[in-house]
């Protein structure tokens, strides 16, 4: 399930100290570490949309990802939390897609709030640099995250915009000749989202 949250730009905050961890941007060699981090989180949160090592590799090779990301990492290459943003210029507005996650062992300590503050601060600066007269909006695409994450988003002023369900069927199996749930299938459009 994909939930999408929106929020307009706000103010900033600082990153907390996490004993034994240092803060830095995502580096080109971090793909396997990020995949392991996601797998560890998914043991608690669910795992319907895990990224492959190739997908993590593509992320860490993105232009300027080091300046658009943050990771708390220790000497054993264990990640406590990470996040990054992408600014998307559109004709009518500028969007910042925010992505982040806190390891289950570090939740409940306001680290998610601090991460979201960092993402908003830095993405906000990047949006303002290109926005001109266009509106700026933060967007969180929400897959398989902690159950308390929506409460954090709403506390920070985000509003649920829409929910999208993804369904799959193995094409090796024959297609059913009938529709037992009486479902109708329509192409996705902005009007029926």
């Amino acid at each position: 399930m994909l939930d999408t949250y929106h929020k307009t730009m706000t103010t900033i905050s600082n990153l907390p100290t996490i004993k034994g961890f240092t803060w830095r941007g995502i580096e080109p060699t971090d793909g396997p570490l990020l995949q392991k981090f996601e797998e560890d989180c998914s043991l608690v949160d669910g795992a319907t949309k895990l990224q492959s090592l190739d997908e993590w590799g593509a992320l860490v090779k993105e232009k300027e990802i080091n300046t658009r990301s943050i990771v708390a990492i220790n000497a054993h290459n264990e990640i406590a939390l990470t996040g990054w943003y992408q600014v998307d210029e559109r004709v009518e507005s500028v969007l910042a897609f925010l992505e982040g996650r806190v390891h289950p062992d570090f939740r409940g300590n306001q680290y998610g709030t601090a991460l979201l503050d960092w993402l908003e601060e830095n993405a906000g600066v990047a949006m303002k640099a290109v926005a001109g007269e266009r509106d700026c909006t933060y967007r969180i695409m929400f897959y398989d995250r902690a159950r308390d994450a929506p409460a954090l988003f709403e506390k920070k002023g985000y509003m649920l915009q829409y929910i999208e369900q993804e369904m799959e069927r193995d094409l090796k199996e024959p297609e059913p000749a009938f529709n037992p749930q009486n479902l109708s299938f329509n192409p996705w459009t902005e009007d029926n989202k």
Side-chain angles (χ1 to χ4, degrees):
M1 178 185 318
L2 166 67
D3 299 349
T4 302
Y5 289 83
H6 290 272
K7 181 185 175 187
T8 55
M9 292 186 344
T10 60
T11 57
I12 61 176
S13 74
N14 296 322
L15 292 169
T17 299
I18 304 175
K19 186 177 180 178
F21 287 78
T22 57
W23 293 100
R24 64 167 172 78
I26 291 174
E27 296 178 354
T29 57
D30 285 343
L33 302 177
L34 292 166
Q35 184 184 35
K36 169 81 168 81
F37 170 75
E38 181 184 45
E39 289 170 355
D40 291 347
C41 292
S42 294
L43 293 174
V44 173
D45 300 336
T48 61
K49 189 164 175 30
L50 292 180
Q51 293 191 85
S52 69
L53 188 54
D54 287 342
E55 290 170 315
W56 284 114
L59 172 74
V60 300
K61 290 178 184 172
E62 278 185 20
K63 182 181 177 188
E64 300 174 1
I65 189 65
N66 188 267
T67 63
R68 297 183 289 109
S69 64
I70 195 75
V71 63
I73 193 164
N74 67 15
H76 305 288
N77 286 327
E78 297 166 329
I79 296 174
L81 61 106
T82 189
W84 60 93
Y85 64 88
Q86 178 68 43
V87 173
D88 183 357
E89 292 187 66
R90 305 203 175 173
V91 173
E92 69 284 353
S93 66
V94 179
L95 299 176
F97 291 92
L98 310 180
E99 181 70 41
R101 203 166 198 173
V102 178
H103 191 282
D105 293 346
F106 294 89
R107 293 178 186 165
N109 295 299
Q110 300 299 309
Y111 297 141
T113 299
L115 175 61
L116 190 51
D117 288 343
W118 185 92
L119 289 166
E120 288 178 350
E121 172 187 353
N122 290 278
V125 169
M127 283 193 295
K128 286 179 185 178
V130 297
E133 299 296 315
R134 293 177 287 181
D135 291 333
C136 294
T137 303
Y138 296 120
R139 182 174 283 179
I140 298 171
M141 307 298 272
F142 180 81
Y143 287 99
D144 294 334
R145 296 299 191 260
R147 292 183 180 166
D148 57 349
L152 168 62
F153 302 151
E154 291 168 5
K155 178 180 167 190
K156 298 279 293 161
Y158 288 80
M159 297 172 294
L160 181 63
Q161 291 296 146
Y162 62 89
I163 296 175
E164 191 177 300
Q165 296 283 339
E166 291 185 12
M167 299 170 66
E168 295 181 5
R169 187 176 74 74
D170 187 347
L171 294 177
K172 294 176 189 167
E173 300 296 322
E175 187 170 342
F178 65 99
N179 183 349
Q181 297 175 343
N182 202 20
L183 298 174
S184 64
F185 297 90
N186 300 306
W188 185 91
T189 67
E190 282 293 321
D191 294 333
N192 69 10
K193 70 180 179 185

